[in-house]
Amino acid sequence: MHLRSATRGITKLMAARRQLCAAIRMFFAAEDELAVHTIASAAYRLISDLKSKHGYDEAGDHYLTMVFFAVRDYRRGTLPKVLADDPDAVRWIKSLADRLPITSSSEYRDFRASVSSAVRDAFRSNRNKVANFLKHADRDADLVLPSGDVDNLTLLMTGLGSYLDVAPDDLGPEGRVLWIYFCVANTLSDNLPAEYAPVADALKEASPDDQLRLCRELIVRLGVSDSGKSAALDR
């Protein structure tokens, strides 16, 4: 059996997937951060538009993700150490838990969130700030972008999460490796599935440059493995 796309053309979602995967590979290859941001932003804009078409509120989802997983982990007693060791963070999460119907067994898909138009506009403005700087110079030719405003890891993870909201599949090796790397970088690796623990442990022990190298190599290995599975379906 051979699985093929129903169309020979490129859909918006297919284009977003290819751009996002390319941006992730560029990130781990330590390509220029502005080039990575441009490609990732293009993908994220496509995905955000597709989400809106399907009735999602991207700004609401952004805040829901932060709140839902923090409260559910609090209920489960599995808050990441970086949060559990912060008394102010624990107090804030507890205050949310006291007001929201999120339990230890709740599922993210069972909740939706909406925000005010002011919050939504602020979210979009902040989200598009760097991308707009890199795209336009007709009205702001003298504008200077602070280097600290370019946060590609957060942008890529946001794009990945939004892609999973509307796509029928995951992002493949690039998405899996990005997720592991993000968890290690943000001291969240304790919440990773056990099968990813050896990779996370190796990344923890590596230097920043070696972390990127290991992620590049893992994407290639997982890609070969996935190709092997696809080949098996053809037989």
Side-chain angles (χ1 to χ4, degrees):
M1 180 175 67
H2 188 66
L3 303 180
R4 295 181 182 273
S5 170
T7 176
R8 293 180 181 273
I10 300 171
T11 66
K12 296 285 188 178
L13 187 60
M14 290 165 61
R17 177 192 174 95
R18 286 169 57 174
Q19 288 177 315
L20 193 53
C21 284
I24 292 171
R25 293 193 299 270
M26 291 168 65
F27 175 82
F28 287 126
E31 295 283 353
D32 187 278
E33 63 178 357
L34 299 184
V36 175
H37 198 95
T38 297
I39 302 300
S41 293
Y44 183 40
R45 179 59 185 269
L46 280 175
I47 296 166
S48 297
D49 289 346
L50 290 172
K51 286 188 65 174
S52 295
K53 183 175 177 62
H54 286 85
Y56 287 90
D57 181 343
E58 179 67 6
D61 287 350
H62 172 77
Y63 292 106
L64 174 61
T65 298
M66 288 192 301
V67 170
F68 175 83
F69 288 105
V71 172
R72 193 177 69 173
D73 286 350
Y74 172 79
R75 295 287 195 195
R76 291 178 173 180
T78 58
L79 272 178
K81 192 172 186 301
V82 66
L83 294 177
D85 290 347
D86 185 337
D88 290 335
V90 172
R91 278 193 294 271
W92 177 71
I93 295 170
K94 181 181 183 302
S95 71
L96 293 173
D98 290 340
R99 291 183 284 123
L100 298 174
I102 299 172
T103 70
S104 61
S105 60
S106 292
E107 295 290 339
Y108 178 83
R109 64 175 177 270
D110 294 330
F111 292 83
R112 298 295 288 269
S114 61
V115 297
S116 68
S117 57
V119 170
R120 187 178 298 108
D121 290 345
F123 170 80
R124 289 174 177 169
S125 177
N126 182 66
R127 179 190 68 183
N128 297 331
K129 178 182 177 181
V130 177
N132 286 338
F133 174 89
L134 298 173
K135 187 166 54 176
H136 304 294
D138 53 343
R139 296 186 301 272
D140 55 4
D142 296 325
L143 188 65
V144 175
L145 177 71
S147 59
D149 285 359
V150 182
D151 183 356
N152 285 329
L153 181 55
T154 297
L155 173 61
L156 290 168
M157 279 299 297
T158 303
L160 171 60
S162 295
Y163 176 84
L164 294 175
D165 286 335
V166 294
D169 56 0
D170 65 23
L171 207 61
E174 288 87 351
R176 278 171 266 162
V177 174
L178 179 70
W179 179 37
I180 298 170
Y181 177 85
F182 177 85
C183 288
V184 170
N186 289 275
T187 324
L188 301 171
S189 57
D190 288 346
N191 287 0
L192 283 169
E195 63 188 290
Y196 295 141
V199 176
D201 290 342
L203 289 177
K204 289 177 190 177
E205 298 298 323
S207 67
D209 286 345
D210 281 342
Q211 285 182 335
L212 297 181
R213 176 184 57 79
L214 289 170
C215 287
R216 292 197 300 272
E217 293 173 354
L218 182 56
I219 287 174
V220 173
R221 290 204 303 272
L222 289 175
V224 171
S225 175
D226 286 357
S227 296
K229 293 175 183 177
S230 297
L233 288 174
D234 291 338
R235 290 196 291 272

